Amino acid sequence: MTVEPGVRVGQDSDASVIERSWDEPEAFAVLFDRHADSVYGYAARRLGAEAAEDVMAETFTTAFQLRFRYDTALSSARPWLFGITTNLISRHKRAEARRLRALGRLPSSAPGDQAEEMVADRVAARVSAQALGRELAGALARLPARHRDVLLLVAWADLGYEEVARALGVPVGTVRSRLHRARRKVREALGGSDPTTPREESDDE
């Protein structure tokens, strides 16, 4: 049995919680309890802790306002929530790019260094810890925003291709193409190392 992240066996699905919140608005707090930490963590890796607080709060405010439009055929709300988060992050894309470029100019960091922690996590699991913060941050900063969104939704939000497509409102083929290009650019910047864990590979351009 597959259980969505943040949901324990026997609990109502996200869709059930959202549907219940149509008549009982306070029920929406369950969705916040399940997913706020992961939304905050994703936003913090991209924008830093201070901005992440605002993005996380606005994500759930927006989701609450849009809850009547949620497709309850989709049991997990994670793609929907991360889609909202990504849209909000896009308003900070210049700040994100500046932050990544700044990290890319830092000296190589030792494992555990704060700068490395900000750009590490799943996306870093298969790259040497030495110089990770600098080189990976620089590579991410040079990606087009639409490619960076796809790569980081897969690597940091742990969404599958179809979930990313749902989050961004684009076809799965577009997700594959953007992810392929993003990985290629990151591999080139890291001397051939691939810092992602692809569930599938695609050579579609």
Side-chain angles (χ1 to χ4, degrees), residues 17-170:
V17 170
I18 293 170
E19 187 170 13
R20 189 166 75 249
S21 77
W22 295 347
D23 296 319
E24 304 171 28
E26 63 276 9
F28 199 82
V30 173
L31 206 69
F32 180 89
D33 292 340
R34 287 179 181 176
H35 300 298
D37 286 348
S38 58
V39 167
Y40 170 81
Y42 175 71
R45 292 179 194 116
R46 295 196 60 171
L47 298 176
E50 185 175 350
E53 289 280 359
D54 293 337
V55 167
M56 184 266 288
E58 193 170 353
T59 292
F60 285 93
T61 298
T62 302
F64 180 79
Q65 293 169 345
L66 298 177
R67 70 191 189 281
F68 295 103
R69 294 164 52 184
Y70 185 77
D71 181 357
T72 55
L74 304 171
S75 63
S76 174
R78 280 171 53 81
W80 180 57
L81 291 171
F82 279 105
I84 294 171
T85 303
T86 300
N87 285 336
L88 294 172
I89 287 173
S90 70
R91 301 178 187 176
H92 301 266
K93 61 185 178 182
R94 291 183 180 177
E96 180 188 28
R98 284 196 301 269
R99 177 172 175 271
L100 289 169
R101 285 195 296 269
L103 288 173
R105 290 192 293 269
L106 290 175
S108 298
S109 54
D113 182 88
Q114 182 179 7
E116 179 178 308
E117 290 175 355
M118 286 193 294
V119 295
D121 203 81
R122 287 190 188 89
V123 79
R126 284 161 171 74
V127 186
S128 169
Q130 299 300 320
L132 170 65
R134 179 182 62 192
E135 294 179 3
L136 180 56
L140 293 175
R142 290 189 291 273
L143 289 176
R146 64 186 184 280
H147 293 172
R148 186 163 61 238
D149 286 342
V150 169
L151 178 66
L152 297 184
L153 282 170
V154 170
W156 285 350
D158 199 26
L159 298 185
Y161 290 5
E162 290 186 1
E163 291 176 314
V164 173
R166 198 184 312 154
L168 300 180
V170 298

